[in-house]
Amino acid sequence: MIGFDYGTSNCAVGVMNNDQPTILSLGDHGRFTPSTLYSPSRDIISHWLYQRLPESAQADFKARRGLSLQRSQNIIRELKLDGISPELSFGQTALDNYLNDPEEGYYIKSPKSFLGASGLVEAQIHLFEDIVAAMMMNIKTHAEQALQKDITKAVIGRPINFQGLKGEESNRQAINVLTNAAKQIGFKDVEFQFEPVAAGFEYEASLSQETKVLVVDIGGGTTDCSMLLMGPEFRESTDRSAHLLSHSGVRIGGNDFDIQLALKGIMPSLGMNSYLKTGKPMPVNSYNQAVAINNVNLQTEFYSQANRRFLEQLKRDAAEPDIFERLLKVHDQKLSYCLVNGAEQAKIALTEAHEANIALDEIDHQLSVEVSRGLMLEASNSQLRQISQMMDSAVKQAGCQPDVIFVTGGTAKSPVLNDYLTAQMPGIPLVIGDHFGSVTVGLARWAKRIFT
């Protein structure tokens, strides 16, 4: 039995060992595998998955994905004729393969962000199920190798609200995708636990008395907040519903901070904030679409041929067409992930430094931009305000003030974020948890509690 953090930014697996949680090392990935997948073609993902399913599951999969599997056979033959391996890659290797040639192949980062999206047709839902299943299969295989035993039971973390516009309908859709994917690859018992609640379990293990804890979990795609009554007398309970005093969530996470930093820090070098020959401001819609890597509809619009023609017209109308040409290059070479990855690396660098450099050689030779903590604060002001409002909402629902604020998630390392949150609730201690591991070990604790 495992705790499985299928995260927006990273995936990790936790197990209990002598009543202590351990995060498994997943082969070359280490303890945390970036939530990325790269395939030479989108249409061969289902074939890769089919080949690795147990024989008992292959017939059912073939019945449901027959057309996709048929199509993949032709594509695999073409790839082999071109000397291209039909293998999928995951984690950092997936990113490396994408960056090596952004125009080729199919790369997806943070598929969890899309699972609650509105308007998905059946074929798109099937694709996301196969993407999630392939990623889970990679993780499960490494975890079983580390443990030297089969894994059949998993508690998977989930946000309070998945990204999506339809509330509970979006949540149900996302949970169905995750459940179907998990059972498809061999998990027999699948349960879910709210990620902020799981993160709080690890903090609870350190408490010696009853404490009201406001848990703020800043994930890659969502930020969730729960007010929990915690303490040593509650640790062994298998029903914590009475201790969950309130919860709230917003569809804002680390990816959104990266996107806003890319928009504010990088896009001016591609012509945003410039002017047309008429003296009117340059339209910004395409710039927003270009970096919206967590919105499948906006990315589809940006990379459409109709938008390519629109960008050509904008270039003719631009007062600085050579600068605007860089946005056309982003379109033609599919560089959205390159831009946002540069912003993400700069955000990480700003944890230790007050300024960071983003190299943009893929866009233009020797092009680079400088960003700062001040710029990051300005870029993410709207997101920070929404997180603050979510915290206020959780406190209001609970009808009491927290004794402590426990913050976890990758972006929790940022001094920009910490300073902002401290200012929102002055006088209440702010505790920073294990930035990536709190949810994973909390899920492992819960898995042991409910499966034994």
Side-chain angles (χ1 to χ4, degrees), residues 41 44 47 69-86:
S41 168
I44 68 171
H47 181 271
L69 290 172
Q70 224 172 22
R71 190 167 58 246
S72 68
Q73 293 287 351
N74 296 327
I75 294 169
I76 287 171
R77 278 194 292 271
E78 291 174 11
L79 289 171
K80 287 183 176 178
L81 285 173
D82 292 334
I84 299 172
S85 168

Side-chain angles (χ1 to χ4, degrees), residues 32-46:
F32 301 101
T33 303
S35 300
T36 56
L37 175 149
Y38 177 85
S39 174
S41 168
R42 184 181 68 179
D43 293 317
I44 68 171
I45 294 172
S46 58

Side-chain angles (χ1 to χ4, degrees), residues 165-234:
L165 301 175
K166 293 191 175 180
E168 279 308 307
E169 184 180 332
S170 292
N171 289 337
R172 281 193 298 272
Q173 176 178 288
I175 289 293
N176 284 339
V177 170
L178 289 169
T179 302
N180 291 341
K183 293 198 169 180
Q184 188 167 267
I185 64 162
F187 288 117
K188 292 182 173 58
D189 295 311
V190 178
E191 298 290 340
F192 291 88
Q193 179 57 274
F194 289 125
E195 288 159 352
V197 175
F201 290 152
E202 187 58 17
Y203 182 64
E204 184 177 49
S206 69
L207 295 176
S208 58
Q209 61 184 22
E210 184 178 301
T211 306
K212 294 186 290 293
V213 183
L214 184 64
V215 180
V216 183
D217 177 27
I218 303 169
T222 58
T223 296
D224 294 319
C225 189
S226 294
M227 182 81 87
L228 290 156
L229 193 61
M230 294 186 162
E233 63 270 40
F234 307 133

Side-chain angles (χ1 to χ4, degrees), residues 61-116:
F61 186 84
K62 193 171 185 178
R64 290 183 288 109
R65 300 288 196 272
L67 287 175
S68 178
L69 290 172
Q70 224 172 22
R71 190 167 58 246
S72 68
Q73 293 287 351
N74 296 327
I75 294 169
I76 287 171
R77 278 194 292 271
E78 291 174 11
L79 289 171
K80 287 183 176 178
L81 285 173
D82 292 334
I84 299 172
S85 168
E87 286 298 306
L88 307 189
S89 54
F90 305 90
Q92 185 60 44
T93 304
L95 177 59
D96 293 342
N97 287 339
Y98 162 70
L99 293 176
N100 187 50
D101 193 355
E103 292 183 81
E104 297 297 329
Y106 177 77
Y107 174 77
I108 186 165
K109 175 183 179 181
S110 309
K112 187 177 175 183
S113 297
F114 305 117
L115 302 186

